[in-house]
């Protein structure tokens, strides 16, 4: 099924309702189990830097993972919107004070000395990637801003999609929710474990590449 704005918007509306329906206590329990799987990844252990979105509302929690990374002595960077489809990543520390954006998202302060050059990071870097849903091949449905689509094209490290199992779909392409330029994440982690292989070719959806179901 070809991707259309209508297909994507209908699916986003359905998935947001499904996510809210999980309830706060179930989401918290699921997210705690999911975090344990992330912390058990050898790539997490080896990563000198973790790029992490700052979770809000019903998103999969990243605050625990950020705290764990900082406690382990890793560098941690969080994103700030700096233009259409553009994120800048700034290092953050323990007890960091964030700015609340007009979209209601916490962002790091714009401090040039803390700016991270994403394109210069090596394969051992690790990024936590948000999404309304992921599929078995690692493709994601985001919120429509295109920020992480652009980010994945520049990032050479391990990209980890955080996904509750209720939001893990078989195929976003079959639902008309992928486009030819979309790239999959390296690995999807749910509260049940991991889906996918440890490395992947950076090939767009139009060429049928992605991570294989576990």
């Amino acid at each position: 099924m070809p991707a259309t704005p209508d297909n994507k918007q209908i699916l986003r509306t359905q998935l947001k309702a499904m996510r809210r329906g999980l309830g706060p206590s179930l989401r918290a329990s699921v997210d705690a189990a999911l975090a344990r799987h992330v912390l058990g990844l050898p790539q997490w252990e080896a990563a000198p830097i973790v790029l992490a979105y700052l979770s809000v509302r019903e998103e999969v929690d990243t605050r625990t993972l950020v705290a764990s990374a900082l406690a382990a002595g890793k560098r941690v960077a969080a994103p700030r919107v700096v233009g259409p489809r553009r994120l800048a990543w700034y290092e953050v520390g323990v007890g960091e004070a964030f700015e609340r954006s007009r979209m209601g998202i916490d962002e790091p302060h714009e401090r040039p000395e803390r700016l991270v050059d994403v394109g210069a990071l090596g394969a051992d870097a690790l990024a936590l990637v948000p999404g309304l849903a992921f599929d078995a091949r690692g493709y994601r449905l985001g919120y429509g801003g295109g920020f992480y689509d652009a980010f994945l094209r520049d990032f050479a490290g391990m990209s980890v999609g955080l996904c509750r199992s209720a939001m893990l779909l078989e195929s976003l392409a079959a639902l008309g929710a992928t486009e030819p330029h979309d790239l999959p994440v390296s690995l999807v982690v749910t509260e049940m474990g991991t889906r996918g292989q440890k490395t992947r070719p950076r090939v767009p959806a139009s060429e049928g590449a992605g991570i294989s179901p576990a």
Side-chain angles (χ1 to χ4, degrees):
M1 181 186 298
T4 68
D6 285 346
N7 288 346
K8 285 190 168 184
Q9 194 52 50
I10 290 169
L11 189 55
R12 285 189 183 103
T13 299
Q14 293 171 339
L15 290 167
K16 286 178 181 178
M18 184 185 304
R19 186 172 68 176
R20 285 193 301 271
L22 295 175
S25 60
L26 178 57
R27 288 196 300 267
S29 174
V30 165
D31 291 359
L34 194 157
R36 287 193 292 272
H37 287 295
V38 174
L39 293 173
L41 292 172
Q43 292 86 357
W44 173 276
E45 180 68 25
I49 183 169
V50 174
L51 278 62
Y53 70 95
L54 300 173
S55 54
V56 294
R57 298 180 287 276
E58 296 95 5
E59 287 186 321
V60 174
D61 175 60
T62 60
R63 306 298 176 128
T64 300
L65 290 167
V66 166
S68 295
L70 290 171
K74 298 180 184 297
R75 297 168 61 203
V76 175
R80 180 184 178 94
V81 174
V82 292
R85 298 170 61 88
R86 288 185 58 217
L87 296 174
W89 294 81
Y90 292 89
E91 283 198 49
V92 299
V94 176
E96 188 83 16
F98 298 106
E99 291 186 62
R100 183 62 55 91
S101 76
R102 61 183 179 83
M103 301 296 292
I105 298 170
D106 285 343
E107 296 183 329
H109 291 272
E110 194 170 3
R111 296 173 178 165
E113 72 278 9
R114 292 190 177 187
L115 182 64
V116 173
D117 183 355
V118 170
L121 295 177
D124 56 353
L126 186 143
L128 303 177
V129 180
L132 269 172
F134 289 83
D135 71 13
R137 296 174 61 213
Y139 293 98
R140 59 181 289 276
L141 180 68
Y143 300 99
F147 296 103
Y148 281 88
D149 296 324
F151 166 74
L152 287 172
R153 286 195 290 275
D154 294 334
F155 182 64
M158 167 70 75
S159 53
V160 177
L162 303 184
C163 181
R164 301 179 185 110
S165 60
M167 315 298 284
L168 181 64
L169 308 178
E170 185 59 34
S171 173
L172 284 167
L175 296 171
T178 60
E179 298 183 52
H181 61 268
D182 288 346
L183 288 169
V185 294
S186 310
L187 193 69
V188 177
V189 178
T190 76
E191 74 277 15
M192 306 299 291
T194 60
R195 301 274 300 207
Q197 59 194 34
K198 299 301 185 287
T199 58
R200 63 159 173 83
R202 295 172 60 79
V203 181
S206 60
E207 298 182 33
I211 62 175
S212 304

